[in-house]
Amino acid sequence: MLAAGGPACDAVVAAVVALEDDPLFNAGRGAVYTAAETFEMDAALMNGADRRAGAVAGVCGPRNPILAARAVLKRGEQVLLAGEGAMAFCREAGIDFADPAWFATERRLEALRGELARRAAGAADTRDDADRHGTVGAVALDRAGNLAAATSTGGLTAKRPGRIGDTPVFGAGTWADDRCAVSCTGQGEVFIRFAAAHEIAARVRWGGHALADAAEDVIARLAPEGGSGGLIALGADGAVALPFNCDGMYRGVARGGVARTAIHREAMRESSV
Ligand code: ASP
């Protein structure tokens, strides 16, 4: 889409739709369960050029929560809709719905049962971080020089019903302006308290920091606060930063027909796109 000159906003939505449809990721199909064995999904989309933004929180119904976020952005009356009201908006907007069974995977159910048993036993959390943070996100820069960011998540395994993470909170888990676009994954409460995504944007705008320095420093500062996680960030000059403070983060960069991907701290693998 980008190679054909399409807008960044459409490209990040297309990327997130593909990831939501893939049961391997914690968003859309394959979302993690709440402690009540239900799904509550959050998604957000922000367009950098004009800062239009749309997000939904705590929804279970829209087959692709990011399309619900886009509908909120397009309507332009609200920025963040939650729960039943968000669902009513989605029905009104003609968003495609799916039954809860569409989102369900055996792997996430096992993860929920394991986590509830771990809590009941008071045992230490030994899960691999790359597995724990399956939130999906995309950032893009288009030919016109516009940036966009999209993020979608089922949240954290065994979260309290009603809990909303950083993903739909603009400036925390998702942000785009005319200088940079940021999409985060990790312990959402800490990303909200530190306004992680906007902190990076502010350092770039007002501090004149290089995007990579700002992104790496913010991620490093979240770690001692319990903010395990990472982010993907893209600057208007094409600079890319993919820092994380945990074991790994599934990540990739596509540029000039070449895709580079990595999970842990190994060198990125190249393939053509
Ligand atoms: N940031 C997400 C949340 O707190 C979860 C994650 O990225 O793993 O809801």
Side-chain angles (χ1 to χ4, degrees):
M1 291 173 84
L2 293 167
C9 207
D10 289 356
V12 293
V13 169
V16 168
V17 163
L19 294 164
E20 285 179 338
D21 285 344
D22 190 323
L24 287 174
F25 300 100
N26 172 18
R29 191 171 184 211
V32 300
Y33 287 88
T34 69
E37 221 177 278
T38 54
F39 298 110
E40 292 185 2
M41 291 167 251
D42 305 331
L45 173 67
M46 187 160 183
N47 190 48
D50 51 12
R51 300 197 189 197
R52 279 186 307 143
V56 290
V59 296
C60 177
R63 178 180 289 250
N64 290 105
I66 196 64
L67 296 181
R70 181 171 68 178
V72 176
L73 180 152
K74 288 210 158 148
R75 181 74 62 91
E77 288 167 15
Q78 296 84 24
V79 162
L80 170 57
L81 290 173
E84 274 314 310
M87 300 277 282
F89 169 85
C90 291
R91 279 186 212 101
E92 222 180 278
I95 296 291
D96 202 11
F97 272 56
D99 293 333
W102 163 258
F103 303 104
T105 54
E106 198 51 41
R107 178 168 156 245
R108 298 300 189 192
L109 195 53
E110 268 169 35
L112 171 67
R113 296 200 171 130
E115 175 59 10
L116 293 177
R118 182 194 71 77
R119 287 183 191 173
D125 191 350
T126 55
R127 288 171 296 166
D128 185 313
D129 287 324
D131 235 17
R132 210 149 32 131
H133 306 307
T135 291
V136 307
V139 288
L141 173 65
D142 62 29
R143 285 237 181 107
N146 295 325
L147 291 154
T151 318
S152 180
T153 190
L156 297 172
T157 299
K159 67 184 180 181
R160 176 183 287 277
R163 175 267 186 192
I164 293 170
D166 59 320
T167 298
V169 178
F170 291 103
T174 307
W175 181 259
D177 60 23
D178 58 342
R179 304 281 180 96
C180 65
V182 184
S183 174
C184 305
T185 180
Q187 188 67 41
E189 284 71 12
V190 181
F191 283 72
I192 293 173
R193 285 169 44 220
F194 286 81
H198 187 267
E199 173 73 19
I200 294 165
R203 289 180 188 209
V204 168
R205 179 178 301 277
W206 305 112
H209 296 198
L211 180 73
D213 294 343
E216 274 159 31
D217 191 55
V218 167
I219 277 297
R221 276 165 202 264
L222 296 184
E225 304 289 336
S228 152
L231 58 88
I232 55 173
L234 179 59
D237 58 355
V240 170
L242 312 164
F244 53 98
N245 61 26
C246 46
D247 303 336
M249 179 176 76
Y250 299 101
R251 59 200 187 280
V253 183
R255 197 204 299 264
V258 178
R260 294 183 296 133
T261 57
I263 298 175
H264 295 101
R265 297 198 183 270
E266 73 278 14
M268 296 188 94
R269 260 167 291 126
E270 287 197 358
S271 56
S272 53
V273 282

